[in-house]
Amino acid sequence: MIGFEIIIKGQEPIRIASDSVVSILLGNGYPFGAYIHLGGSDSSYNSLTWLDGKLETGDMLTIKVIETDTASEVIRKEIKAKEWVWELYNKLEVELTEKGLL
C-alpha cells in the first residue's frame, strides 16, 4: 500500500500507512505552537495516531511517499465499530428528514 515515511530532526523514520486514510497535519497557533500530527483511519473506521508532537524553529522534516506492507506502531487507536457509524448515519437521516432536507 502507499504510505509516507517521515523523518523529524534526523530521528528514526516513522512509517504511516493504512488500508484507508493517512494524513500529516502541520500547524502553528495558540495554545500549542508549532506541531505535527500523524494520523488516519483504517477500513473499520478506527482512528489511528502515530505521533502528536511539537516542532521548534529550525526543525527539519523529510516526507517521502513509499510503497510498504507495514507501518510503524500506532501510539493510539480509537475503536469506531461500523455499527456506530451506521447508528450515527441513521440518526442524522431522521433529523434531516424531520427538517425537510431529505
Side-chain angles (χ1 to χ4, degrees), residues 53-70:
K54 292 198 173 266
L55 298 171
E56 301 293 332
T57 301
D59 284 352
M60 177 68 84
L61 303 175
T62 304
I63 301 170
K64 183 180 354 177
V65 179
I66 59 170
E67 178 74 35
T68 184
D69 292 329
T70 60

Side-chain angles (χ1 to χ4, degrees), residues 26-39:
L26 299 171
N28 185 46
Y30 178 82
F32 304 110
Y35 62 90
I36 183 170
H37 172 82
L38 306 177

Side-chain angles (χ1 to χ4, degrees), residues 8 15-16 26 28 30 35 39-40 42-43 47 49 51 56 60 67 69 76 92 96 101-102:
I8 304 169
R15 292 174 167 236
I16 64 173
L26 299 171
N28 185 46
Y30 178 82
Y35 62 90
D42 62 21
S43 59
S47 176
T49 300
L51 176 72
E56 301 293 332
M60 177 68 84
E67 178 74 35
D69 292 329
R76 187 171 54 251
L92 291 172
L96 292 173
L101 299 173
L102 284 181

